[in-house]
Amino acid sequence: MRFYNTETKQKEEFKTIEPGKVRMYVCGPTVYNLIHIGNARPMIVFDTARRYMEHKGYEVNYVSNFTDVDDKIIAKANEEGVSSQEISERYIAECKKDMEGMNVRPATTHPLATQEIPGMIEMIEELIDKGYAYNVNGTVYFRTRRFKDYGKLSHKNLDDLRSGGRALLVTGEDEKEDPLDFVLWKPKKEGEPFWESPWSEGRPGWHIECSVMSKKYLGDEIDIHAGGEDLVFPHHENEIAQSEAANGKIFTHYWLHNAFLNIDNRKMSKSLGNFFTVRDISEKYDLQVLRFFMLSAHYRSPLNFSADQMESAAVSLERIRNAVENLKYLETASEKNMPADTAMTQEEQALLSEAMAFETKFDDAMDDDLNTADAIAAIFELVKFANSHSAAENTPAYLKGVKDEIVKLCDILGLIVEKKEELLDDEIEKLIEERQAARKAKNFARADEIRNLLAEKGIQLLDTREGVKWKRA
Ligand code: AMP
Ligand code: ZN
């Protein structure tokens, strides 16, 4: 298996620190709003990387944080007149719902920055002791020029950065020794959440959070650190400086970065009005379509989101689902003709081997720096093969074998292709009647239970003047 490493700018053979085990850290979102479809890209891509490594037999310790203390969270809290904690808790819960819809598995650990402050203070103290950091009036800065390898990830020329840096100085930061020095700890402003520290009542800088959470849950040295390409500089460059200066070890062996998602070939932004949350998309599509769309391109290629692309993703996913449905239907039909355990014919055995060989093609694509586009192409070849080599005259075992192979490959990509059991129209109407009766009898618990049950099956209820109407989402 090979990964493109941003640090070496090459595809490299993947070798883990511990045999059979992967330590992986993915920078998570700042939780001040519903996540947008750009944030969904690293979630889907690196969840797929995790699933693929597990398919290859690795045990993956997957850590992804929520940044729950930040200027944007504080601004939102002030706007609503609630605490920062209320904002971050609300949007963590919403983010988890979106993740579930996209079939992004929960991380092994989802650390919260606000729960790890003592570890951050400890690392900052260590950096000060070793001469890598200094305190000026309660603000602690990292002394960038002390760290010899600074710039190794982003391949930036430090002198250029330094000469441009003066112009970038924020008021109040002219106390820094060097324009490239960055904040490890900053004093509170009026009305901001704060923690006690040896330097001031304040809060940590963003970069130190990830260095500390990665160390605590994965150790000083990890295999993979990942995130969107905007994080290469300064976030990841600064994480390397902090962690390697404090721990004296190589921080991360493979740096993986996804390219950006654009909308109609333009950068997604609120001011341009081309901004979509995952929740917006879920109103129109099953989020599996969004997942399919994201995986239809290589993760290091920019991806353009458009209505047409989503439509075509929906059609493609439906083609796989139809093939699976058809195989199930044929299997049931075949079981009427012969016992379910009828042995496969020799010809069927040969065909099934041929079907299973598409897995090698799939694996080859994924082994090559997670080429999900080619992996999906391999699935379509298998689907085409299945459609032209299946009939009710086949044995149930053969039909099931082919179907299982399609489902297995899709499952490695986190794509759910087996249709959920759907409720029939008259079953829905009966439940609605029962709900009305429960409401009349003031049995609201039962009424809510029925609404939730229907919602789970994708049935929306609309209270209208003519009574309750329903539609399939
Ligand atoms: P943030 O909440 O801004 O820290 O972003 C969380 C993650 O989403 C980071 O890994 C970002 O690099 C990534 N990200 C943000 N916007 C986009 C985008 N338009 N396309 C791809 N990834 C993005
Ligand atoms: Zn990070």
Side-chain angles (χ1 to χ4, degrees):
M1 190 170 24
R2 294 186 325 148
F3 288 129
Y4 180 90
N5 185 351
T6 308
E7 185 177 342
T8 59
K9 294 188 179 177
Q10 295 182 32
K11 285 186 197 168
E12 292 174 5
E13 192 58 38
F14 183 54
K15 288 198 197 80
T16 56
I17 299 162
E18 248 179 286
K21 293 193 176 169
V22 179
R23 307 175 198 161
M24 178 164 183
Y25 188 94
V26 181
C27 291
T30 308
V31 276
Y32 64 100
N33 217 328
L34 291 174
I35 57 162
H36 59 66
I37 53 176
N39 301 136
R41 192 171 191 193
M43 285 180 182
I44 291 173
V45 160
F46 299 119
D47 174 68
T48 305
R50 172 194 195 178
R51 288 169 183 269
Y52 183 65
M53 289 189 281
E54 286 179 355
H55 160 69
K56 300 278 279 188
Y58 289 104
E59 191 183 302
V60 184
N61 189 351
Y62 189 97
V63 177
S64 189
N65 66 297
F66 287 113
T67 299
D68 64 342
V69 55
D70 175 87
D71 289 343
K72 294 193 198 109
I73 300 175
I74 296 169
K76 177 93 170 177
N78 291 339
E79 207 179 288
E80 288 193 19
V82 298
S83 68
S84 294
Q85 192 182 346
E86 188 170 331
I87 296 292
S88 58
E89 280 176 1
R90 182 196 307 159
Y91 290 111
I92 287 170
E94 296 298 343
C95 178
K96 286 185 175 170
K97 282 189 212 159
D98 289 335
M99 285 167 63
E100 196 182 332
M102 298 186 294
N103 203 21
V104 169
R105 276 167 45 202
T108 316
T109 313
H110 278 293
L112 303 181
T114 56
Q115 304 301 309
E116 309 290 345
I117 307 284
M120 297 178 203
I121 292 176
E122 209 175 294
M123 190 180 272
I124 297 171
E125 279 184 320
E126 201 172 344
L127 289 170
I128 294 177
D129 288 349
K130 290 185 172 163
Y132 284 104
Y134 57 97
N135 168 18
V136 193
N137 303 325
T139 304
V140 184
Y141 295 100
F142 187 88
R143 188 173 276 130
T144 305
R145 90 173 88 93
R146 269 286 319 257
F147 184 69
K148 294 288 169 278
D149 284 337
Y150 195 81
K152 71 174 172 180
L153 178 69
S154 52
H155 311 281
K156 290 208 185 278
N157 179 319
L158 292 203
D159 293 332
D160 289 354
L161 277 175
R162 209 161 264 137
S163 58
R166 279 282 156 214
L168 296 174
L169 278 187
V170 182
T171 343
E173 287 200 348
D174 42 2
E175 59 200 20
K176 292 201 285 190
E177 291 175 3
D178 184 314
L180 285 187
D181 291 354
F182 57 90
V183 170
L184 299 174
W185 185 267
K186 59 182 158 196
K188 67 170 181 192
K189 291 199 201 99
E190 197 50 40
E192 287 185 352
F194 65 91
W195 288 265
E196 298 291 336
S197 82
W199 318 287
S200 57
E201 289 182 337
R203 60 188 162 104
W206 172 36
H207 317 301
I208 195 78
E209 297 174 5
C210 287
S211 280
V212 168
M213 293 186 275
S214 176
K215 179 184 170 85
K216 175 162 172 189
Y217 295 99
L218 297 167
D220 290 353
E221 219 172 337
I222 72 169
D223 296 298
I224 299 176
H225 199 117
E229 65 185 2
D230 58 322
L231 300 186
V232 174
F233 187 86
H235 186 53
H236 288 161
E237 194 70 65
N238 291 353
E239 280 189 45
I240 294 177
Q242 298 162 153
S243 296
E244 298 194 356
N247 305 329
K249 297 211 180 100
I250 298 286
F251 175 42
T252 294
H253 289 208
Y254 302 85
W255 286 95
L256 270 53
H257 294 100
N258 64 272
F260 256 43
L261 176 94
N262 296 316
I263 297 194
D264 295 325
N265 291 313
R266 291 156 90 195
K267 191 175 155 59
M268 178 167 56
S269 91
K270 270 195 174 150
S271 52
L272 287 174
N274 60 354
F275 182 91
F276 292 111
T277 62
V278 170
R279 204 57 62 83
D280 293 332
I281 303 304
S282 75
E283 279 162 18
K284 190 151 181 225
Y285 293 99
D286 167 359
L287 287 177
Q288 288 297 296
V289 176
L290 183 67
R291 186 170 182 119
F292 184 93
F293 161 74
M294 296 277 186
L295 297 178
S296 61
H298 190 273
Y299 75 96
R300 283 189 295 108
S301 306
L303 179 57
N304 189 42
F305 181 93
S306 68
D308 285 355
Q309 301 270 16
M310 279 299 280
E311 279 306 320
S312 106
V315 169
S316 299
L317 184 61
E318 200 53 28
R319 252 180 73 201
I320 306 178
R321 289 179 164 170
N322 285 342
V324 170
E325 270 312 289
N326 186 42
L327 287 162
K328 274 176 144 169
Y329 169 82
L330 292 175
E331 190 188 332
T332 314
S334 161
E335 279 173 5
K336 290 191 183 127
N337 299 334
M338 62 186 96
D341 57 358
T342 307
M344 275 189 264
T345 64
Q346 262 185 354
E347 193 198 352
E348 282 181 335
Q349 280 174 16
L351 283 171
L352 188 57
S353 304
E354 223 178 298
M356 290 169 94
F358 288 104
E359 186 170 334
T360 312
K361 226 172 177 178
F362 175 97
D363 282 0
D364 287 348
M366 293 295 281
D367 279 345
D368 184 16
D369 191 30
L370 300 173
N371 193 334
T372 52
D374 285 0
I376 288 177
I379 294 179
F380 276 109
E381 283 183 52
L382 171 60
V383 162
K384 200 170 156 206
F385 177 91
N387 288 342
S388 49
H389 294 92
S390 54
E393 289 70 40
N394 285 117
T395 60
Y398 168 78
L399 293 163
K400 183 171 184 307
V402 176
K403 184 206 78 184
D404 285 351
E405 190 58 34
I406 299 177
V407 172
K408 176 182 172 189
L409 297 188
C410 290
D411 187 52
I412 297 170
L413 299 180
L415 292 168
I416 301 167
V417 290
E418 283 194 275
K419 282 198 180 136
K420 286 183 235 153
E421 294 298 316
E422 281 184 10
L423 286 177
L424 299 173
D425 288 8
D426 59 347
E427 287 172 326
I428 295 168
E429 263 137 38
K430 265 201 195 116
L431 281 166
I432 292 177
E433 271 170 33
E434 194 193 331
R435 177 168 167 267
Q436 295 300 88
R439 279 170 128 191
K440 252 193 201 144
K442 300 217 179 325
N443 183 354
F444 297 112
R446 177 62 187 153
D448 283 350
E449 200 176 277
I450 294 172
R451 177 180 274 273
N452 291 343
L453 177 91
L454 289 167
E456 258 171 45
K457 301 276 182 190
I459 310 297
Q460 274 177 10
L461 298 185
L462 310 163
D463 286 305
T464 70
R465 270 192 218 166
E466 296 83 48
V468 179
K469 298 220 160 108
W470 62 271
K471 64 170 193 184
R472 291 184 200 272

